[in-house]
Amino acid sequence: TNDVGLLAEEYDPRTGRQLGNFPQAFTHIHLIHTAQALSGTNRITAGRTGP
């Protein structure tokens, strides 16, 4: 992440710089859901009974 905790769309490993735009919440929520799925937790939908 950068100094304010944002992740850019691309990363250049040669220079260590983030490139491109900074996606907003809709992109980050998918990153969070993936991390939760891989770890076996899902706090966002825990206890939800409907669709």
Side-chain angles (χ1 to χ4, degrees):
T1 62
N2 67 6
D3 58 334
V4 293
L6 296 176
L7 295 167
E9 291 178 326
E10 298 178 34
Y11 178 76
D12 183 353
R14 288 183 293 128
T15 63
R17 294 183 64 208
Q18 295 187 51
L19 308 170
N21 296 320
F22 287 91
Q24 300 299 315
F26 290 120
T27 303
H28 284 109
I29 197 69
H30 293 293
L31 177 65
I32 293 166
H33 283 182
T34 300
Q36 289 176 336
L38 291 173
S39 69
T41 62
N42 190 349
R43 292 188 180 108
I44 293 174
T45 60
R48 189 179 294 176
T49 57

